[in-house]
Amino acid sequence: MNSDQILLDGTEIGLSALSRLAAGQGRVVVPDAALRRVAQGRADFLTALDDGQQIYGATTGVGALKDVEQHGAEMLDYARALPFAHQVAVGEEVAPETVRLAVALRLNTALTGKAGVSSEFVAFLQAMLAHDLLPVMNRRGSIGAADLGQMGQLATVMAGAGMARLKGEAMPAAEALARVGMTPHPMPPRDGLAAVAVNSYGLAQTAMQVARAGLALRRGMALAMLGAQAMG
């Protein structure tokens, strides 16, 4: 692997790689083994659907609608609507480094193959990183089991709506996607929920703080060593 590449395969990511991902330094590479896991996970999900299993967020609604069943065209419409129902974050805009890392972390966790997402879902996230096409995220969102507000903003941009930044320039998501030759992701069952119901934003915020703390510690140690040398 070249030095300008960053491998994402569904396993842990080192602090150095996290920092490079946040800064947009390096090209994300996904190995074939990870893509095979995604394809197998999707096949297992579709088999479960065909077998008539009840699956949260696919054959049922989410949250207060978890006991409401839906099938056929209704299920497809619900999956497509999920992103738009959750883009509820407000307040100041999140720094692009944190947003970029949140997208990368959502990609990496999807590569475990355990989310049941489509291969197109992971390819879309990888393409977003390659083009530096990021959703506009706002700092204040939901409190609970997932970063619904901010990740809803990611899912909405994937679906071709909302606001995005393309290499730092703010514009409607539809325009940003068109500029780089991408078409909106159709959000089939499972993909919409997987884009929204995840803690990638919170994890990105935490990773950024850990990286800053590590840098401050290293600088402090360096200054202490210089001080000790100066004192003989």
Side-chain angles (χ1 to χ4, degrees), residues 20 29-30 42 51 74 76 85 132 136 141 145 152 155-156 178 185 188 190 219 225 230-231:
R20 292 177 63 205
V29 175
V30 176
R42 185 64 176 179
D51 290 344
E74 185 180 30
L76 298 177
D132 199 24
V136 170
T156 299
H185 186 59
R190 196 61 182 173
R219 287 175 174 173
M225 291 176 61
M231 294 173 65

Side-chain angles (χ1 to χ4, degrees), residues 8 30 38 40 77 89 98 111 121-122 135 156 221:
L8 293 185
V30 176
V38 172
Q40 183 59 57
D77 291 341
T98 302
L111 291 173
F121 179 88
V122 297
T156 299
M221 292 176 64

